[in-house]
Amino acid sequence: QVQLVESGGGSVQAGGSLRLSCAASGYAYSTYYMGWFRQAPAKEREGVAAISSATSTRYADSVKGRFTISRDKANNILYLQMNSLKPEDTAMYYCAAGRGFPWFELRVSDFHYWGQGTQVTVSS
């Protein structure tokens, strides 16, 4: 049974930092691409960052230079380091995994497994 469990969300002021973690279990973690998505109230879920099984990375333009995605294959953990946070980064953040599709497109439909989400709130 595939399980993705996010942690690390919280409330910070603009300019602050947070690190999200996603613990994965129940599948061949190292062979899947992974990603972080977010969804703000009344908005569609959008891709934030993704990382391939070979650890290539891709970022949404809105977070380039501020967020860093990484993965620990030995411990099956995905990370998202978020710096210089802005109020518009406020959203529920989801960890996701997939295989067999173009992971670099950051499309929701290309990811098969999802966590329950962790809330990030950035105040001005």
Side-chain angles (χ1 to χ4, degrees):
Q1 180 179 355
V2 175
Q3 190 171 21
L4 299 173
V5 180
E6 302 96 334
S7 61
S11 297
V12 295
Q13 290 192 326
S17 298
L18 283 173
R19 188 175 81 156
L20 306 183
S21 299
C22 172
S25 63
Y27 69 104
Y29 171 79
S30 63
T31 67
Y32 279 64
Y33 51 80
M34 303 288 296
W36 288 99
F37 291 76
R38 66 186 181 188
Q39 188 166 17
K43 291 190 176 181
E44 291 188 358
R45 191 169 298 190
E46 63 175 0
V48 174
I51 185 166
S52 72
S53 59
T55 65
S56 296
T57 58
R58 181 68 176 260
Y59 296 92
D61 288 343
S62 59
V63 306
K64 276 182 184 176
R66 300 188 298 122
F67 291 10
T68 302
I69 188 171
S70 61
R71 63 190 301 173
D72 179 348
K73 289 188 175 181
N75 295 296
N76 293 359
I77 300 175
L78 179 71
Y79 297 103
L80 185 68
Q81 178 66 44
M82 305 186 295
N83 298 328
S84 302
L85 283 161
K86 304 176 181 179
E88 51 263 44
D89 294 318
T90 295
M92 185 72 77
Y93 282 71
Y94 298 91
C95 167
R99 191 165 62 175
F101 290 90
W103 60 273
F104 47 87
E105 298 285 354
L106 290 174
R107 288 187 299 225
V108 171
S109 58
D110 292 338
F111 289 76
H112 317 303
Y113 303 114
W114 294 84
Q116 294 300 306
T118 185
Q119 178 68 36
V120 172
T121 303
V122 185
S123 58
S124 57

